[in-house]
Coordinates of all heavy atoms in Angstrom, one line a residue:
Chain A
E414 N -27.7 13.5 14.4 CA -27.8 12.4 15.3 C -26.8 11.3 14.8 O -26.7 11.1 13.6 CB -29.2 11.8 15.2 CG -30.2 12.7 16.0 CD -31.6 12.1 16.0 OE1 -31.7 10.8 16.0 OE2 -32.5 12.9 15.9
A415 N -26.1 10.7 15.7 CA -25.0 9.9 15.3 C -24.9 8.5 16.0 O -24.0 8.2 16.6 CB -23.6 10.6 15.5
P416 N -26.0 7.8 15.9 CA -26.0 6.4 16.5 C -25.1 5.5 15.6 O -24.9 5.8 14.4 CB -27.4 6.0 16.5 CG -28.0 6.7 15.3 CD -27.3 8.0 15.3
F417 N -24.6 4.4 16.1 CA -23.9 3.5 15.3 C -24.9 3.1 14.2 O -26.1 2.9 14.3 CB -23.6 2.2 16.1 CG -22.4 2.4 17.0 CD1 -22.4 2.2 18.3 CD2 -21.1 2.6 16.3 CE1 -21.3 2.4 19.1 CE2 -20.0 2.8 17.1 CZ -20.0 2.6 18.5
G418 N -24.3 2.9 13.0 CA -25.1 2.5 11.8 C -25.6 3.6 11.0 O -26.2 3.4 9.9
S419 N -25.4 4.9 11.4 CA -25.9 6.0 10.6 C -25.0 6.4 9.4 O -24.0 7.0 9.6 CB -26.1 7.2 11.5 OG -26.5 8.4 10.7
A420 N -25.5 6.0 8.3 CA -24.7 6.4 7.0 C -24.8 7.9 6.8 O -23.8 8.5 6.3 CB -25.3 5.6 5.8
K421 N -25.9 8.5 7.2 CA -26.0 9.9 7.0 C -25.0 10.7 7.8 O -24.3 11.6 7.4 CB -27.5 10.3 7.5 CG -27.8 11.8 7.2 CD -29.3 12.1 7.4 CE -29.5 13.5 7.4 NZ -29.8 14.1 8.7
A422 N -24.8 10.3 9.1 CA -23.8 10.9 9.9 C -22.4 10.8 9.4 O -21.6 11.7 9.4 CB -23.9 10.4 11.4
L423 N -22.2 9.5 8.9 CA -20.8 9.2 8.3 C -20.5 10.2 7.2 O -19.4 10.8 7.2 CB -20.8 7.8 7.8 CG -19.5 7.4 7.1 CD1 -18.4 7.2 8.1 CD2 -19.7 6.1 6.3
I424 N -21.4 10.4 6.3 CA -21.1 11.2 5.1 C -21.0 12.7 5.6 O -20.1 13.4 5.2 CB -22.3 11.1 4.1 CG1 -22.4 9.7 3.5 CG2 -22.2 12.2 3.0 CD1 -21.3 9.3 2.6
Q425 N -21.8 13.1 6.5 CA -21.8 14.5 6.9 C -20.5 14.7 7.7 O -19.9 15.8 7.5 CB -23.0 14.7 7.9 CG -23.4 16.2 8.0 CD -24.8 16.4 8.5 OE1 -25.7 15.6 8.2 NE2 -24.9 17.4 9.4
F426 N -20.1 13.8 8.5 CA -18.8 14.0 9.3 C -17.7 14.1 8.3 O -16.7 14.8 8.6 CB -18.6 12.8 10.2 CG -19.5 12.9 11.5 CD1 -19.9 11.7 12.1 CD2 -19.8 14.1 12.0 CE1 -20.6 11.7 13.3 CE2 -20.6 14.1 13.2 CZ -21.0 12.9 13.8
A427 N -17.7 13.3 7.2 CA -16.5 13.3 6.3 C -16.4 14.7 5.7 O -15.3 15.2 5.6 CB -16.8 12.3 5.1
E428 N -17.5 15.3 5.3 CA -17.4 16.6 4.7 C -17.0 17.7 5.8 O -16.2 18.6 5.5 CB -18.8 17.0 4.1 CG -19.0 16.1 2.9 CD -20.5 16.2 2.4 OE1 -21.3 16.7 3.1 OE2 -20.7 15.8 1.2
M429 N -17.6 17.6 7.0 CA -17.3 18.5 8.0 C -15.8 18.4 8.5 O -15.2 19.5 8.8 CB -18.2 18.3 9.3 CG -19.6 18.6 9.1 SD -20.7 17.8 10.3 CE -20.0 18.5 11.8
T430 N -15.3 17.2 8.5 CA -13.9 17.0 9.0 C -12.9 17.6 8.0 O -12.0 18.4 8.5 CB -13.7 15.5 9.2 OG1 -14.6 15.0 10.1 CG2 -12.2 15.3 9.7
A431 N -13.1 17.3 6.8 CA -12.1 17.9 5.8 C -12.1 19.4 5.8 O -11.1 20.0 5.6 CB -12.5 17.3 4.4
K432 N -13.3 19.9 5.9 CA -13.4 21.4 5.8 C -13.3 22.1 7.2 O -13.4 23.3 7.3 CB -14.8 21.8 5.2 CG -14.9 21.4 3.8 CD -16.2 21.6 3.1 CE -16.2 21.1 1.7 NZ -17.5 20.7 1.2
A433 N -13.0 21.3 8.2 CA -12.9 21.8 9.6 C -14.0 22.6 10.0 O -13.9 23.7 10.6 CB -11.6 22.5 9.8
E434 N -15.2 22.2 9.7 CA -16.5 22.9 10.1 C -17.1 22.2 11.3 O -17.2 21.0 11.4 CB -17.4 22.8 8.9 CG -17.0 23.6 7.7 CD -18.0 23.4 6.5 OE1 -18.9 22.6 6.6 OE2 -17.7 24.1 5.5
G435 N -17.6 23.0 12.3 CA -18.3 22.5 13.4 C -17.5 21.4 14.1 O -16.3 21.6 14.4
F436 N -18.2 20.3 14.4 CA -17.6 19.3 15.2 C -16.5 18.5 14.4 O -15.8 17.8 14.9 CB -18.7 18.3 15.6 CG -18.2 17.3 16.7 CD1 -18.1 17.7 18.0 CD2 -17.9 16.0 16.3 CE1 -17.6 16.8 18.9 CE2 -17.4 15.1 17.3 CZ -17.2 15.5 18.6
G437 N -16.5 18.8 13.1 CA -15.5 18.2 12.2 C -14.1 18.6 12.7 O -13.1 17.8 12.5
K438 N -14.0 19.7 13.4 CA -12.7 20.1 13.9 C -12.2 19.2 14.9 O -11.0 18.8 15.0 CB -12.8 21.5 14.5 CG -12.7 22.7 13.5 CD -12.6 24.0 14.3 CE -13.1 25.1 13.3 NZ -13.9 26.1 14.0
D439 N -13.1 18.7 15.8 CA -12.8 17.7 16.8 C -12.4 16.3 16.2 O -11.5 15.7 16.6 CB -13.9 17.6 17.8 CG -13.9 18.7 18.9 OD1 -12.9 19.5 18.8 OD2 -14.8 18.8 19.7
I440 N -13.2 15.9 15.2 CA -12.9 14.7 14.6 C -11.5 14.7 13.9 O -10.8 13.7 14.0 CB -14.0 14.3 13.5 CG1 -15.4 14.1 14.2 CG2 -13.6 13.0 12.7 CD1 -16.5 13.9 13.2
G441 N -11.2 15.8 13.4 CA -9.9 16.0 12.8 C -8.7 15.9 13.7 O -7.5 15.8 13.3
L442 N -9.0 15.9 15.1 CA -7.9 15.6 16.0 C -7.5 14.2 16.1 O -6.5 13.8 16.7 CB -8.4 16.1 17.4 CG -8.7 17.5 17.6 CD1 -9.4 17.8 19.0 CD2 -7.5 18.4 17.5
G443 N -8.3 13.3 15.6 CA -8.1 11.9 15.7 C -8.7 11.3 17.0 O -9.0 12.1 17.9
S444 N -8.8 10.0 17.1 CA -9.5 9.4 18.2 C -8.9 9.7 19.6 O -9.6 9.9 20.6 CB -9.6 7.9 17.9 OG -9.9 7.2 19.0
R445 N -7.5 9.6 19.7 CA -6.9 9.8 21.0 C -7.2 11.1 21.6 O -7.6 11.3 22.7 CB -5.4 9.5 20.9 CG -4.7 9.7 22.3 CD -3.3 9.2 22.3 NE -2.4 10.1 21.6 CZ -1.1 9.9 21.5 NH1 -0.5 8.9 22.2 NH2 -0.3 10.7 20.8
R446 N -6.9 12.2 20.8 CA -7.1 13.5 21.4 C -8.6 13.8 21.6 O -9.0 14.5 22.6 CB -6.5 14.5 20.4 CG -5.0 14.5 20.4 CD -4.5 15.4 19.2 NE -3.0 15.5 19.2 CZ -2.2 14.5 18.6 NH1 -2.7 13.5 18.1 NH2 -0.9 14.7 18.6
L447 N -9.5 13.3 20.7 CA -10.9 13.6 20.8 C -11.5 12.9 22.1 O -12.2 13.5 22.9 CB -11.7 13.1 19.6 CG -13.1 13.3 19.6 CD1 -13.6 13.6 18.1 CD2 -14.0 12.2 20.1
C448 N -11.1 11.6 22.3 CA -11.6 10.9 23.5 C -11.1 11.5 24.8 O -11.8 11.6 25.8 CB -11.3 9.4 23.4 SG -12.2 8.5 22.1
A449 N -9.9 12.0 24.7 CA -9.2 12.6 25.9 C -10.0 13.9 26.2 O -10.3 14.2 27.4 CB -7.8 12.9 25.7
K450 N -10.3 14.7 25.2 CA -11.0 15.9 25.3 C -12.3 15.8 26.0 O -12.8 16.6 26.8 CB -11.2 16.6 23.9 CG -11.9 17.9 23.9 CD -11.8 18.6 22.6 CE -12.7 19.9 22.6 NZ -12.7 20.6 21.3
Y451 N -13.0 14.7 25.7 CA -14.3 14.5 26.2 C -14.3 13.5 27.5 O -15.3 12.9 27.8 CB -15.3 14.0 25.2 CG -15.6 15.1 24.2 CD1 -14.9 15.2 23.0 CD2 -16.4 16.2 24.6 CE1 -15.1 16.3 22.1 CE2 -16.6 17.3 23.7 CZ -15.9 17.3 22.5 OH -16.1 18.4 21.7
G452 N -13.1 13.3 28.0 CA -13.0 12.6 29.3 C -13.1 11.1 29.3 O -13.3 10.5 30.3
K453 N -13.0 10.5 28.1 CA -13.1 9.1 27.9 C -11.9 8.5 27.1 O -12.0 7.9 26.1 CB -14.3 8.7 27.2 CG -15.6 9.1 27.9 CD -15.9 8.1 29.0 CE -17.2 8.5 29.8 NZ -17.4 7.7 30.9
P454 N -10.7 8.8 27.6 CA -9.5 8.3 26.9 C -9.5 6.8 26.6 O -8.9 6.4 25.6 CB -8.3 8.7 27.8 CG -8.8 8.9 29.1 CD -10.3 9.4 28.9
E455 N -10.1 6.0 27.5 CA -10.1 4.6 27.3 C -10.9 4.1 26.1 O -10.8 3.0 25.6 CB -10.6 3.9 28.6 CG -12.1 4.0 28.8 CD -12.5 5.4 29.5 OE1 -11.7 6.3 29.6 OE2 -13.7 5.5 29.8
L456 N -11.7 5.0 25.5 CA -12.5 4.6 24.4 C -11.8 4.8 23.0 O -12.3 4.5 22.0 CB -13.9 5.4 24.3 CG -14.8 5.0 25.4 CD1 -16.2 5.7 25.2 CD2 -15.1 3.5 25.5
S457 N -10.6 5.4 23.1 CA -9.8 5.6 21.9 C -9.1 4.3 21.5 O -8.3 3.7 22.2 CB -8.7 6.7 22.1 OG -7.9 6.7 21.0
M458 N -9.4 3.8 20.3 CA -8.8 2.5 19.8 C -7.6 2.8 19.0 O -7.6 2.8 17.8 CB -9.9 1.7 19.0 CG -11.1 1.3 19.8 SD -10.6 0.2 21.2 CE -11.1 1.2 22.6
T459 N -6.5 3.1 19.8 CA -5.3 3.6 19.1 C -4.0 3.0 19.8 O -4.1 2.6 21.0 CB -5.2 5.1 19.2 OG1 -5.3 5.5 20.5 CG2 -6.2 5.8 18.3
V460 N -3.0 3.0 19.1 CA -1.6 2.8 19.7 C -0.8 4.0 19.2 O -0.7 4.3 18.0 CB -1.0 1.5 19.3 CG1 0.5 1.4 19.8 CG2 -1.8 0.3 19.8
K461 N -0.1 4.6 20.1 CA 0.8 5.8 19.8 C -0.1 6.9 19.1 O 0.4 7.6 18.3 CB 2.0 5.4 19.0 CG 2.9 4.4 19.7 CD 4.2 4.1 18.8 CE 5.1 3.1 19.5 NZ 4.7 1.8 19.6
G462 N -1.4 6.8 19.4 CA -2.2 7.9 18.8 C -2.8 7.5 17.4 O -3.5 8.3 16.9
Q463 N -2.4 6.4 16.9 CA -2.9 6.1 15.6 C -3.9 5.0 15.7 O -3.7 4.0 16.4 CB -1.7 5.6 14.7 CG -2.2 5.2 13.3 CD -1.1 5.4 12.2 OE1 -0.7 6.5 11.8 NE2 -0.5 4.3 11.8
E464 N -5.0 5.2 14.9 CA -6.1 4.2 15.0 C -5.8 2.9 14.4 O -5.1 2.7 13.4 CB -7.3 4.9 14.2 CG -7.9 6.1 14.9 CD -7.1 7.4 14.8 OE1 -6.1 7.3 14.0 OE2 -7.4 8.3 15.5
F465 N -6.4 1.9 15.0 CA -6.3 0.5 14.5 C -6.8 0.3 13.1 O -7.8 0.9 12.7 CB -7.0 -0.5 15.4 CG -6.4 -0.7 16.7 CD1 -7.1 -0.3 17.9 CD2 -5.2 -1.4 16.9 CE1 -6.5 -0.5 19.1 CE2 -4.7 -1.6 18.1 CZ -5.3 -1.2 19.2
P466 N -6.2 -0.6 12.4 CA -6.8 -1.1 11.1 C -7.7 -2.2 11.4 O -8.2 -2.4 12.5 CB -5.6 -1.5 10.3 CG -4.6 -1.9 11.3 CD -4.8 -1.1 12.5
A467 N -8.1 -3.0 10.4 CA -9.3 -3.9 10.4 C -9.1 -5.3 11.0 O -9.8 -6.2 10.5 CB -9.7 -3.9 9.0
Y468 N -8.3 -5.5 12.0 CA -8.1 -6.8 12.5 C -8.2 -6.7 14.0 O -7.4 -5.9 14.6 CB -6.8 -7.4 12.1 CG -6.6 -7.3 10.6 CD1 -5.9 -6.2 10.1 CD2 -7.0 -8.3 9.8 CE1 -5.8 -6.0 8.7 CE2 -6.9 -8.1 8.4 CZ -6.2 -7.0 7.9 OH -6.1 -6.8 6.5
D469 N -9.1 -7.4 14.7 CA -9.2 -7.3 16.1 C -8.2 -8.3 16.8 O -8.2 -9.5 16.5 CB -10.6 -7.7 16.6 CG -10.9 -7.2 18.0 OD1 -10.2 -7.7 18.9 OD2 -11.7 -6.3 18.2
S470 N -7.4 -7.8 17.6 CA -6.3 -8.6 18.2 C -6.8 -9.5 19.2 O -5.9 -10.3 19.8 CB -5.2 -7.6 18.7 OG -5.7 -6.8 19.8
R471 N -8.0 -9.6 19.5 CA -8.5 -10.6 20.4 C -8.7 -11.9 19.6 O -8.5 -13.0 20.1 CB -9.8 -10.2 21.1 CG -9.6 -9.2 22.2 CD -10.9 -8.5 22.6 NE -11.5 -7.7 21.6 CZ -12.4 -6.7 21.8 NH1 -12.9 -6.5 23.0 NH2 -12.9 -6.0 20.8
G472 N -9.1 -11.7 18.3 CA -9.3 -12.9 17.4 C -8.0 -13.3 16.6 O -7.9 -14.4 16.1
I473 N -7.1 -12.3 16.5 CA -5.8 -12.7 15.9 C -4.7 -12.1 16.8 O -4.3 -11.0 16.7 CB -5.7 -12.0 14.5 CG1 -6.9 -12.3 13.6 CG2 -4.4 -12.5 13.8 CD1 -7.0 -11.6 12.3
Q474 N -4.2 -13.0 17.7 CA -3.4 -12.6 18.8 C -2.1 -11.9 18.4 O -1.7 -10.9 19.0 CB -3.1 -13.8 19.7 CG -4.3 -14.3 20.5 CD -4.7 -13.4 21.7 OE1 -3.8 -12.9 22.4 NE2 -6.0 -13.3 21.8
G475 N -1.5 -12.4 17.3 CA -0.2 -11.8 16.9 C -0.4 -10.3 16.5 O 0.6 -9.6 16.6
M476 N -1.6 -10.0 16.0 CA -1.7 -8.6 15.6 C -1.7 -7.6 16.8 O -1.4 -6.5 16.6 CB -3.0 -8.4 14.8 CG -3.0 -9.1 13.4 SD -1.6 -8.5 12.4 CE -2.2 -6.9 11.9
G477 N -2.0 -8.1 18.0 CA -1.9 -7.3 19.2 C -0.4 -6.8 19.4 O -0.1 -5.6 19.6
L478 N 0.5 -7.8 19.2 CA 1.9 -7.4 19.4 C 2.4 -6.6 18.2 O 3.2 -5.6 18.3 CB 2.8 -8.7 19.4 CG 4.3 -8.5 19.7 CD1 4.5 -7.9 21.0 CD2 5.0 -9.9 19.6
T479 N 1.9 -6.9 17.0 CA 2.2 -6.1 15.8 C 1.8 -4.6 16.0 O 2.6 -3.7 15.8 CB 1.3 -6.6 14.6 OG1 1.9 -7.8 14.2 CG2 1.3 -5.7 13.5
Y480 N 0.6 -4.4 16.5 CA 0.1 -3.0 16.8 C 0.9 -2.3 17.8 O 1.3 -1.2 17.7 CB -1.4 -3.0 17.2 CG -2.4 -3.5 16.2 CD1 -3.5 -4.2 16.6 CD2 -2.2 -3.3 14.8 CE1 -4.5 -4.6 15.6 CE2 -3.1 -3.7 13.9 CZ -4.2 -4.4 14.3 OH -5.2 -4.8 13.4
A481 N 1.1 -3.1 19.0 CA 1.8 -2.4 20.1 C 3.2 -2.0 19.8 O 3.7 -1.0 20.3 CB 1.7 -3.4 21.3
T482 N 3.9 -2.8 19.0 CA 5.3 -2.5 18.7 C 5.6 -1.7 17.4 O 6.7 -1.4 17.1 CB 6.1 -3.8 18.7 OG1 5.6 -4.7 17.6 CG2 6.0 -4.5 20.0
S483 N 4.5 -1.5 16.6 CA 4.7 -0.8 15.3 C 5.3 0.6 15.6 O 4.8 1.3 16.4 CB 3.4 -0.7 14.6 OG 3.5 0.3 13.6
N484 N 6.4 0.9 14.9 CA 7.1 2.1 15.1 C 6.2 3.3 14.6 O 6.6 4.4 15.0 CB 8.4 2.1 14.3 CG 9.4 1.2 15.0 OD1 9.4 1.1 16.2 ND2 10.3 0.6 14.2
R485 N 5.2 3.1 13.8 CA 4.5 4.3 13.3 C 3.1 4.3 13.9 O 2.1 4.9 13.4 CB 4.4 4.3 11.8 CG 3.6 3.3 11.1 CD 3.3 3.7 9.7 NE 2.3 2.8 9.1 CZ 1.8 3.0 7.8 NH1 2.1 4.0 7.2 NH2 1.0 2.1 7.3
G486 N 2.9 3.6 15.1 CA 1.5 3.5 15.7 C 0.8 2.3 15.0 O 1.3 1.7 14.1
A487 N -0.4 2.1 15.5 CA -1.2 0.9 15.1 C -1.3 0.8 13.6 O -1.6 1.8 12.9 CB -2.6 1.0 15.7
C488 N -0.9 -0.3 13.1 CA -0.7 -0.5 11.7 C -0.6 -2.0 11.3 O -0.1 -2.8 12.1 CB 0.6 0.2 11.3 SG 1.0 -0.1 9.6
H489 N -1.2 -2.3 10.2 CA -1.2 -3.7 9.7 C -0.1 -3.9 8.8 O 0.3 -5.1 8.4 CB -2.5 -4.1 9.1 CG -2.9 -3.3 8.0 ND1 -3.1 -2.0 8.1 CD2 -3.0 -3.5 6.6 CE1 -3.4 -1.4 6.9 NE2 -3.4 -2.4 6.0
L490 N 0.6 -2.9 8.3 CA 1.6 -3.0 7.2 C 3.0 -3.0 7.7 O 3.9 -2.8 7.0 CB 1.4 -1.8 6.2 CG 0.1 -1.9 5.5 CD1 -0.1 -0.6 4.6 CD2 0.0 -3.1 4.5
R491 N 3.2 -3.3 9.0 CA 4.5 -3.4 9.5 C 4.9 -4.9 9.8 O 6.0 -5.3 9.7 CB 4.7 -2.6 10.8 CG 4.8 -1.1 10.4 CD 6.0 -0.8 9.6 NE 6.1 0.6 9.1 CZ 5.6 1.0 8.0 NH1 4.9 0.2 7.2 NH2 5.7 2.3 7.6
S492 N 3.8 -5.7 10.2 CA 4.1 -7.1 10.3 C 2.7 -7.8 10.2 O 2.0 -7.9 11.1 CB 4.7 -7.6 11.6 OG 4.1 -7.0 12.7
Y493 N 2.4 -8.2 9.0 CA 1.0 -8.7 8.7 C 0.9 -10.2 9.0 O 0.9 -11.1 8.2 CB 0.7 -8.5 7.2 CG -0.7 -8.7 6.8 CD1 -1.7 -7.7 7.2 CD2 -1.1 -9.7 6.0 CE1 -3.0 -7.9 6.8 CE2 -2.5 -9.9 5.7 CZ -3.4 -9.0 6.1 OH -4.7 -9.1 5.7
T494 N 0.9 -10.4 10.3 CA 0.8 -11.8 10.8 C -0.5 -12.5 10.4 O -0.6 -13.7 10.6 CB 1.1 -12.0 12.3 OG1 0.1 -11.2 13.0 CG2 2.4 -11.4 12.7
V495 N -1.5 -11.7 10.0 CA -2.7 -12.3 9.5 C -2.4 -13.3 8.4 O -3.1 -14.3 8.3 CB -3.6 -11.2 8.9 CG1 -4.9 -11.7 8.2 CG2 -4.0 -10.1 9.9
A496 N -1.4 -13.1 7.6 CA -1.0 -14.0 6.6 C -0.7 -15.4 7.1 O -1.2 -16.4 6.6 CB 0.3 -13.5 5.9
S497 N 0.0 -15.4 8.3 CA 0.3 -16.8 8.9 C -0.9 -17.2 9.7 O -1.4 -18.3 9.6 CB 1.5 -16.6 9.8 OG 1.6 -17.8 10.6
E498 N -1.5 -16.3 10.5 CA -2.5 -16.8 11.5 C -3.9 -17.1 10.9 O -4.6 -17.9 11.4 CB -2.7 -15.7 12.6 CG -1.4 -15.5 13.4 CD -1.6 -14.4 14.5 OE1 -1.3 -13.2 14.1 OE2 -1.9 -14.7 15.6
V499 N -4.1 -16.5 9.7 CA -5.4 -16.7 9.1 C -5.2 -17.5 7.7 O -6.0 -18.5 7.5 CB -6.2 -15.4 8.8 CG1 -7.5 -15.7 8.1 CG2 -6.4 -14.7 10.2
L500 N -4.3 -17.0 6.9 CA -4.2 -17.6 5.6 C -3.2 -18.7 5.5 O -3.1 -19.4 4.4 CB -3.8 -16.5 4.6 CG -4.7 -15.2 4.5 CD1 -4.2 -14.2 3.7 CD2 -6.1 -15.7 4.1
G501 N -2.4 -18.9 6.5 CA -1.4 -20.0 6.5 C -0.2 -19.7 5.7 O 0.4 -20.7 5.1
I502 N 0.2 -18.4 5.5 CA 1.4 -18.1 4.7 C 2.4 -17.4 5.7 O 2.1 -16.5 6.3 CB 1.0 -17.1 3.7 CG1 0.0 -17.7 2.7 CG2 2.2 -16.5 2.9 CD1 -0.7 -16.6 1.8
P503 N 3.7 -17.9 5.7 CA 4.2 -19.1 5.0 C 3.8 -20.4 5.7 O 3.8 -21.4 5.0 CB 5.7 -18.9 5.0 CG 5.9 -18.1 6.2 CD 4.7 -17.3 6.5
V504 N 3.5 -20.4 7.0 CA 3.0 -21.6 7.7 C 1.8 -21.1 8.5 O 1.7 -20.0 9.0 CB 4.1 -22.2 8.6 CG1 5.1 -22.9 7.8 CG2 4.7 -21.2 9.5
K505 N 0.9 -22.1 8.7 CA -0.3 -21.7 9.5 C 0.0 -21.7 11.0 O 0.6 -22.7 11.5 CB -1.4 -22.8 9.3 CG -2.7 -22.5 10.0 CD -3.6 -21.4 9.3 CE -4.9 -21.2 9.9 NZ -4.9 -20.5 11.2
T506 N -0.4 -20.7 11.7 CA -0.3 -20.6 13.1 C -1.6 -20.4 13.7 O -2.5 -19.8 13.0 CB 0.7 -19.5 13.6 OG1 0.3 -18.3 13.0 CG2 2.1 -19.8 13.2
D507 N -1.8 -20.7 15.0 CA -3.2 -20.6 15.6 C -3.4 -19.1 16.0 O -2.7 -18.6 16.8 CB -3.2 -21.5 16.8 CG -4.6 -21.5 17.5 OD1 -5.4 -20.7 17.1 OD2 -4.8 -22.3 18.4
P508 N -4.5 -18.5 15.4 CA -4.7 -17.1 15.7 C -5.1 -16.8 17.2 O -5.1 -15.7 17.7 CB -5.8 -16.7 14.8 CG -6.5 -18.0 14.4 CD -5.4 -19.0 14.5

Side-chain angles (χ1 to χ4, degrees):
Chain A
E414 286 181 35
F417 281 120
S419 173
K421 185 170 170 254
L423 176 73
I424 296 289
Q425 203 163 320
F426 285 150
E428 291 169 346
M429 289 163 62
T430 302
K432 292 173 183 155
E434 290 171 357
F436 193 76
K438 279 187 201 137
D439 279 356
I440 297 175
L442 297 171
S444 162
R445 180 168 70 177
R446 289 170 177 84
L447 184 144
C448 290
K450 179 173 176 178
Y451 292 100
K453 297 282 179 185
E455 71 280 7
L456 292 185
S457 170
M458 295 299 118
T459 52
V460 173
K461 300 181 178 70
Q463 179 156 287
E464 291 74 11
F465 287 112
Y468 312 89
D469 197 296
S470 60
R471 288 166 292 196
I473 308 174
Q474 291 285 321
M476 289 307 284
L478 184 61
T479 285
Y480 294 147
T482 60
S483 163
N484 288 326
R485 69 166 187 172
C488 170
H489 57 295
L490 294 172
R491 287 297 176 270
S492 54
Y493 193 70
T494 61
V495 176
S497 168
E498 295 178 273
V499 180
L500 304 173
I502 299 168
V504 286
K505 184 78 174 78
T506 53
D507 183 352

